Amino acid sequence: MNIDMAPNLSLVVLVAVLVGTGVYLLLERSLSRVIIGIALISNGVNVLMLVAGGSAGGPPLLGETAPEDMSDPLPQAMVLTAIVITLGMTAFLLAMAYRSWQLNGHDEVQDDLEDRRIARRAARDELSERVTDDSGATLAEDAADTRDETARGEDEHARVGHHPAALGADDEEAKP
């Protein structure tokens, strides 16, 4: 019995290109590029599993092929499972991208204004000294006053087709 375990070099290069391109696209801000990146990484890993499974053999059915000539069915089963998982994840990401497009008119992941505000305050070393914000309100008071962006302006949203971006009182850099 001679088992050929040397991988096909062209398939290894294909795996490297798919995974490398997928990682590059995954680091973009556009959700559509993230989805394409995840699909490329998934396909690259699937090819890697098939390459790692060894050379192709006969079908793994008793009576059809001698046991030493059968291919290993485990990598094929793992790839089939990975394809199904990737399909579910891609559907979820497509739904997120569509919802982002409905709300903002594009599918780019935005910086969170609150995160930027906290980062600015941390850079000025203001977070450790204070328990209230610039208006003097505590976190509990801010939470009680937080507006629900989904509860108002239903008619305007339906007319325009998407939600305008909501800005806080402290978002001077984001205002036009």
Side-chain angles (χ1 to χ4, degrees):
M1 182 169 124
N2 185 12
I3 299 175
D4 182 22
M5 292 302 292
N8 186 340
L9 184 60
S10 61
L11 291 178
V12 172
V13 170
L14 176 67
V15 167
V17 168
L18 287 174
V19 172
T21 306
V23 168
Y24 175 76
L25 290 174
L26 195 63
L27 297 175
E28 295 285 328
R29 287 187 163 267
S30 171
L31 282 176
S32 58
R33 291 183 182 185
V34 169
I35 293 168
I36 294 170
I38 286 175
L40 288 177
I41 290 173
S42 172
N43 287 326
V45 170
N46 289 343
V47 172
L48 178 66
M49 283 194 275
L50 290 177
V51 168
S55 62
L61 300 173
L62 290 177
E64 296 238 349
T65 308
E68 61 269 7
D69 294 332
M70 289 183 183
S71 64
D72 188 8
L74 183 61
Q76 297 169 11
M78 291 175 65
V79 167
L80 185 61
T81 303
I83 289 171
V84 171
I85 291 170
T86 302
L87 176 68
M89 189 166 58
T90 302
F92 175 72
L93 289 174
L94 281 172
M96 281 183 43
Y98 180 68
R99 185 67 180 155
S100 176
W101 178 79
Q102 279 183 325
L103 293 176
N104 301 319
H106 55 81
D107 68 342
E108 291 186 3
V109 177
Q110 299 292 313
D111 284 339
D112 186 21
L113 296 177
E114 185 65 24
D115 285 346
R116 279 195 274 156
R117 187 178 311 130
I118 290 172
R120 279 196 316 262
R121 292 175 62 192
R124 292 182 287 199
D125 198 26
E126 295 177 352
L127 292 179
S128 60
E129 301 170 3
R130 299 177 48 189
V131 293
T132 61
D133 64 1
D134 293 337
S135 66
T138 63
L139 185 60
E141 292 169 346
D142 278 345
D145 292 337
T146 301
R147 60 178 180 254
D148 185 7
E149 298 171 3
T150 60
R152 60 188 172 116
E154 299 274 339
D155 296 334
E156 182 176 321
H157 293 172
R159 182 176 53 82
V160 174
H162 65 275
H163 298 273
L167 298 176
D170 194 29
D171 300 327
E172 294 297 328
E173 65 191 39
K175 290 183 180 175

